[in-house]
Amino acid sequence: MPELFLERIAGIRCAFLIGLLLSTSLNALAAPPPGHPTPDAALQIMRSGTDPGQARRHYGVVLDSIDANEFTYIEVDEGGKSFWIATTKMKIARGDLVQFDDGVTMQEFYSKLLKRTFSSVMFVGAVSTSIAGK
């Protein structure tokens, strides 16, 4: 009888350790790479914006845009330098003038939905637009 009890305790301990290891491994796989905000954190950053006293204001021309679920990715030319930004989904067209404050930049950002890696994407809180020439 004590042997059966010890076998059950050993089985419970083994199952607990396996569960703990699996849970830890799955959490590690689900975590974003170092320096990358989680999707929820990125959305929070985009919705809340940044402290205007600390953010640099950017002005540029839209070269391209891609909608993906809740985001719009926008390629911007700012003084001859082009880069990608992302914000909450919005209507925008090539040639529009945009302005926005600094956001959180993610290097080598892979979009699963677009199946594309951006060398960098700056997630910004809001983008103001005007049509070129107006």
Side-chain angles (χ1 to χ4, degrees), residues 6-43:
L6 290 176
E7 281 181 26
R8 284 187 181 166
I9 293 292
I12 291 170
R13 283 185 182 165
C14 184
F16 175 76
L17 288 175
I18 290 171
L20 183 64
L21 287 172
L22 283 174
S23 172
T24 304
S25 297
L26 290 176
N27 284 339
L29 289 174
H36 290 239
T38 63
D40 289 340
L43 284 174

Side-chain angles (χ1 to χ4, degrees), residues 71-125:
F71 297 97
T72 297
Y73 294 87
I74 305 166
E75 185 178 18
V76 176
D77 179 311
E78 182 180 43
K81 178 185 173 197
S82 69
F83 56 95
W84 286 91
I85 63 172
T87 190
T88 51
K89 194 169 187 177
M90 63 180 292
K91 249 188 174 184
I92 195 152
R94 191 173 288 164
D96 284 354
L97 304 175
V98 292
Q99 50 184 305
F100 53 92
D101 291 333
D102 272 337
V104 175
T105 300
M106 296 172 60
Q107 302 297 325
E108 297 303 316
F109 177 75
Y110 179 73
S111 167
K112 288 181 184 179
L113 181 65
L114 298 175
K115 295 181 173 94
R116 175 181 176 166
T117 299
F118 294 89
S119 59
S120 70
V121 174
M122 182 190 308
F123 287 85
V124 299

Side-chain angles (χ1 to χ4, degrees), residues 31-87:
H36 290 239
T38 63
D40 289 340
L43 284 174
Q44 186 59 36
I45 290 165
M46 289 173 43
R47 288 187 178 129
S48 65
T50 57
D51 179 4
Q54 296 178 342
R56 178 177 164 244
R57 193 78 167 152
H58 293 270
Y59 301 89
V61 178
V62 175
L63 300 175
D64 195 7
S65 67
I66 305 167
D67 288 331
N69 284 345
E70 301 163 4
F71 297 97
T72 297
Y73 294 87
I74 305 166
E75 185 178 18
V76 176
D77 179 311
E78 182 180 43
K81 178 185 173 197
S82 69
F83 56 95
W84 286 91
I85 63 172
T87 190

